[in-house]
Amino acid sequence: MEISKLKTLTIPTLNDIIPILDIDGGISGKPILRKVSVGTLLELVNNENHETENTSGFIVPTIVKTVAANTDYFIGIDTSGTAYKITKENLLAGLSNSGSTNGNNSGGNSNQDPYFSNVSLLLPFNGNFTDIKGNIVTSSGDVNIASSGQRWGSGSISFFGNGGNLAIPNSNAFNLTGRDFTIECWINTTNTSNAYHTIVDKYDSSGSVGSFQLTQVGSRIEFWYASYSGSVPLLSSANGSISTGNWYFISVTRSGNVFKLYIDGVEVATANYSPAGFNPNIPVNIGSQANAGNWFFGKIDDVRITVDVTRIPNVPTQEFPHN
């Protein structure tokens, strides 16, 4: 059919037919030439709130938004032609993957971390307890570097639940009061008894504002922050979230007054909280709670604390970059 040879119609009726190109293509997935009556087309144009269903069953919305929330969905089509939905947050995380191994530049030494200047603590445990950021690290009790079974690099730190821990002196670099932050690490527990097994801690017995504790309790992960509650953690995953003998990537973030807990990149808890300001003069502890025991059983690898930055909780594919 040659459009140029068709007769021009100046006064169409509602029943006249107009050719239309269906860009959706229905089942075939390719544009298809179809027909529509003038009456149907006018009905669509005149109905501002109308949502049209195409041949594939996909609803095309007509509402326009100028700002998308992190939980809003975008529609995409994968390489097999299958339609899917993805949240704004995950879409941006994927876009930021370009040129690095993951969205928070956690990939490894071959990449640079754009937020390295904001990192307060970085412990890769590659044969020693050295902090890449230069903090003094003191080991005590039954704790050592395991040269096998590590998550990344040449080692991980092993705890046996009987008094071993690492301590890093307090400084303003660990003052999380009123600041965005990200706490990340890998854990591989050997004990899921219903007791506290501290992972990373700067938490005194009174729960002073500005103190924090990331801990394993049985088969779940908890995060305690400031004086949120005397008996309830700010964030907690469900029972059964972790098991023995497996590596899990744990991360906690704060953005404004929103706190989130992730396991292997999946959000498992969120809370809104706005505490007052105070920085308790106690050290950061790895593997135990300050002055209270609650020893960890198992291995911990790649501990990183970043202040004034809320990182995207992508699961790293190699150890954190060292610069």
Side-chain angles (χ1 to χ4, degrees), residues 201-260:
D201 167 271
K202 187 178 183 287
Y203 200 85
D204 63 11
S205 58
S206 64
S208 299
V209 174
S211 60
F212 61 90
Q213 182 186 80
L214 179 62
T215 186
Q216 170 210 341
V217 184
S219 59
R220 66 182 183 273
I221 300 296
E222 295 183 353
F223 182 70
W224 296 72
Y225 185 76
S227 53
Y228 175 72
S229 172
S231 59
V232 178
L234 177 64
L235 302 168
S236 178
S237 68
N239 289 324
S241 299
I242 63 170
S243 57
T244 59
N246 298 300
W247 281 104
Y248 296 94
F249 180 59
I250 311 298
S251 56
V252 178
T253 66
R254 178 181 181 177
S255 177
N257 293 328
V258 179
F259 294 76
K260 293 186 177 184

Side-chain angles (χ1 to χ4, degrees), residues 96-144:
S96 66
N97 270 338
S98 178
S100 64
T101 55
N102 58 49
N104 58 8
N105 287 77
S106 304
N109 292 324
S110 61
N111 299 296
Q112 290 189 336
D113 179 1
Y115 307 115
F116 188 73
S117 62
N118 296 88
V119 174
S120 299
L121 182 71
L122 179 55
L123 298 170
F125 301 122
N126 288 335
N128 53 55
F129 302 130
T130 301
D131 173 31
I132 300 300
K133 298 298 292 188
N135 293 290
I136 297 173
V137 181
T138 302
S139 65
S140 62
D142 195 3
V143 56
N144 59 48

Side-chain angles (χ1 to χ4, degrees), residues 270-293:
T270 184
N272 284 271
Y273 181 43
S274 179
F278 177 70
N279 182 31
N281 187 23
I282 52 178
V284 173
N285 286 269
I286 312 292
S288 75
Q289 181 179 349
N291 305 318

Side-chain angles (χ1 to χ4, degrees), residues 31-47:
I32 296 177
L33 187 64
R34 300 187 185 276
K35 62 183 180 180
V36 63
S37 70
V38 172
T40 300
L41 187 60
L42 289 175
E43 181 183 354
L44 170 64
V45 172
N46 292 330
N47 188 355

